[in-house]
Amino acid sequence: MRLGAADIAGMRPTYVTALFDQYAPKFDAALRDDLGYRGPALLLAAVLSARAAAGGPAGFGRVIDLGCGTGLAARAFAPVAGEIIGIDLSPRMIERARATGLYAEVGVAEIVEGLGRRPNNSADLILAADVMVYVHDMAPLLAEVARVLAPGGLFAFTVESHAGEGVVLGKGLRYAHGAPACERSSPPPA
């Protein structure tokens, strides 16, 4: 795909699982120390700003952390979350997330599949920090997010972007989404 020999398509879950199982022991240090990763802190600030602008409370009863990894987003959101549920494709990442003690529940699953197991209207906030870079087609995920979010709930995610249309596979083998692709993928408000 990167070389143009095939159309851009979804990544195989086995690839993503193997990548993050291998990365789990050094993940936190690599992101925080080497890369200066601030995704969860930026998401928290954006979520609190959006909630304040809408006149809503700063807290969330149930938060679902998609692609929870080792729990970096849970660390940022714990002060405003009643309970946090983590979903990740990597068993080794889930082990590390469970060890934080920040999650009421964690499960190994592909994120659309994991959301598919959740009841309708059962989350006040769904997070996807540095996850959409592994999602080629956002539409199936956004449909599940819209089903699982309670009325007035929020979906907060980070995305790598590019100036053009559609989705491209970057040099780092991560998807970058053009703004129009994100807008077309969005489900209508519930």
Side-chain angles (χ1 to χ4, degrees):
M1 287 187 296
R2 178 77 183 116
L3 297 174
D7 290 337
I8 302 293
M11 291 183 189
R12 295 177 192 249
T14 52
Y15 164 74
V16 179
T17 299
L19 177 69
F20 284 98
D21 272 353
Q22 166 190 336
Y23 199 21
K26 54 189 173 209
F27 184 79
D28 285 7
L31 261 64
R32 286 191 309 225
D33 302 339
D34 299 342
L35 299 176
Y37 181 63
R38 301 179 309 129
L42 294 172
L43 273 180
L44 177 61
V47 164
L48 293 178
S49 177
R51 193 67 148 203
F60 299 89
R62 178 170 293 143
V63 176
I64 299 177
D65 184 4
L66 300 176
C68 67
T70 60
L72 293 176
R75 285 181 188 97
F77 280 85
V80 297
E83 73 173 11
I84 305 174
I85 296 164
I87 299 171
D88 199 285
L89 199 54
S90 165
R92 288 194 178 156
M93 290 289 203
I94 285 291
E95 288 172 13
R96 292 183 176 276
R98 183 179 288 117
T100 68
L102 296 171
Y103 292 92
E105 178 185 334
V106 292
V108 175
E110 186 276 328
I111 57 176
V112 174
E113 174 191 325
L115 274 180
R117 297 177 190 156
R118 308 307 310 179
N120 293 351
N121 305 315
S122 62
D124 303 303
L125 174 63
I126 298 177
L127 304 171
D130 203 37
V131 173
M132 302 307 259
V133 296
Y134 300 102
V135 176
H136 169 257
D137 180 5
M138 289 188 202
L141 173 61
L142 294 176
E144 281 301 306
V145 165
R147 183 187 64 75
V148 173
L149 276 177
L154 296 175
F155 178 42
F157 62 93
T158 59
V159 64
E160 286 186 16
S161 62
H162 67 94
E165 292 278 331
V167 179
V168 298
L169 186 61
K171 291 178 184 175
L173 300 181
R174 295 162 53 104
Y175 296 115
H177 299 268
C182 293
E183 292 164 5
R184 280 192 304 272
S185 296
S186 299

